[in-house]
Amino acid sequence: MQSPYKNYIKQEVEGATKGKLVLLMYDGAIKFLRVAVKAVNENNIPDAHNNIMKAQNIIYELMSTLNMEAGDVAKNLMRLYDFMIWQLVEANKEKDNTKIESVIKLMSSLREAWKEVVQKEEGSVKQEPEETKSINFAG
């Protein structure tokens, strides 16, 4: 018998739009990276490695879903995802939480942007002040 939580997640994924699936992927990557940070702090190298790898796999999946014919947005996302993978490879080798945290920040910013897209798709956009919408990719 499936737990209520697993059943809920299964229903959430099966009924999700493409936009919601992307949000779920961001959520998963961010969750795994936070677990990796905790594992690094506890010097639990196997858990740190495994969770970084799980996040990388999600980013690779996000990369594979990009429509490169869609233009500059897809190309810029590909560059960002590539940068995140590079940061995570380095973080995994060095067990460096600053690199993991930088990827968490990028993923969180992208997740917020996707959340707005999903809300627009659903017609339930809540207007936010302009200064909270900007994303600084320079760091």
Side-chain angles (χ1 to χ4, degrees), residues 22-112:
V22 172
L23 283 177
L24 290 171
M25 289 171 49
Y26 281 127
D27 288 342
I30 291 166
K31 180 189 92 171
F32 291 132
L33 292 173
R34 286 186 177 140
V35 172
V37 166
K38 184 175 184 270
V40 169
N41 288 338
E42 295 170 353
N43 205 28
N44 185 339
I45 303 309
D47 275 359
H49 170 78
N50 290 335
N51 282 285
I52 290 170
M53 294 304 297
K54 288 176 184 179
Q56 281 181 256
N57 288 337
I58 290 172
I59 296 169
Y60 281 127
E61 184 63 28
L62 288 165
M63 292 170 94
S64 74
T65 63
L66 288 175
N67 176 2
M68 297 310 287
E69 295 172 13
D72 289 341
V73 172
K75 290 176 186 166
N76 289 335
L77 278 171
M78 181 63 82
R79 285 188 201 108
L80 274 174
Y81 293 150
D82 192 46
F83 173 75
M84 287 185 229
I85 293 290
W86 178 78
Q87 285 287 95
L88 292 177
V89 167
E90 293 298 309
N92 207 355
K93 285 195 300 193
E94 303 162 11
K95 299 305 179 251
D96 182 351
N97 272 345
T98 58
K99 288 184 169 106
I100 300 171
E101 293 284 354
S102 73
V103 174
I104 290 171
K105 284 181 186 176
L106 280 172
M107 293 291 291
S108 297
S109 294
L110 289 171
R111 187 205 180 281
E112 285 306 307

